Amino acid sequence: QVQLVESGGGLVQPGGSLRLSCAASGSIFSIDAMGWYRRTPGKQRELVALVHSGASTVYNDSVKGRFTISRDNAKNTVYLQMNKLKPEDTAVYYCYSRVHSDDDLDYDYWGQGTQVTVSS
């Protein structure tokens, strides 16, 4: 089993910044990808940003140029630096990880979610 523990959500004014962190622990052979998804009421969960083991990244078009994803492989931790936040960024943000286990299979794991609210 793998646990993902998130931190860093909260309330911020438009134009402000927040940094989310997510640490993975447990039965990890290697991590193929880590990233963040978000969900707002009435909408499907959407990808925010993803970083692969080779350090390549994928971003939702709506956050390009404002959000930066990074990863500390030694700590099995992923970060999301969110700048120039907009009210439409308000959502519950979920950490995601695809873990390669020692049984040679890949498993997807999710964090419990952290609320980000952008409001004046």
Side-chain angles (χ1 to χ4, degrees), residues 11 17-18 25 27 31 33 35 43 51 57 82 85 90 100 104 111 115 118-119:
L11 172 65
S17 298
L18 281 176
S25 63
S27 301
I31 296 180
K43 294 180 68 176
V51 56
T57 57
M82 304 185 293
L85 282 159
T90 296
H100 192 77
D104 206 27
Q115 177 70 45
V118 185
S119 175

Side-chain angles (χ1 to χ4, degrees), residues 5-117:
V5 179
E6 303 149 336
S7 61
L11 172 65
V12 64
Q13 292 187 341
S17 298
L18 281 176
R19 189 190 194 210
L20 304 182
S21 300
C22 174
S25 63
S27 301
I28 299 171
F29 181 75
S30 64
I31 296 180
D32 296 332
M34 293 189 79
W36 298 90
Y37 286 72
R38 65 187 180 188
R39 176 181 283 158
T40 55
K43 294 180 68 176
Q44 287 188 327
R45 184 170 55 195
E46 66 176 0
L47 172 70
V48 178
L50 196 69
V51 56
H52 295 279
S53 57
S56 62
T57 57
V58 178
Y59 289 95
N60 186 304
D61 285 344
S62 68
V63 307
K64 285 181 180 177
R66 300 187 297 121
F67 292 10
T68 303
I69 190 168
S70 61
R71 178 173 163 177
D72 185 332
N73 291 328
K75 296 181 179 180
N76 289 331
T77 299
V78 65
Y79 306 96
L80 185 68
Q81 179 66 43
M82 304 185 293
N83 298 328
K84 300 179 182 178
L85 282 159
K86 303 176 180 180
E88 51 263 44
D89 294 318
T90 296
V92 178
Y93 284 69
Y94 295 90
C95 180
Y96 161 81
S97 181
R98 171 156 288 189
V99 175
H100 192 77
S101 184
D102 53 12
D103 60 3
D104 206 27
L105 296 175
D106 293 331
Y107 297 91
D108 292 333
Y109 293 95
W110 296 91
Q112 78 281 3
T114 185
Q115 177 70 45
V116 171
T117 302

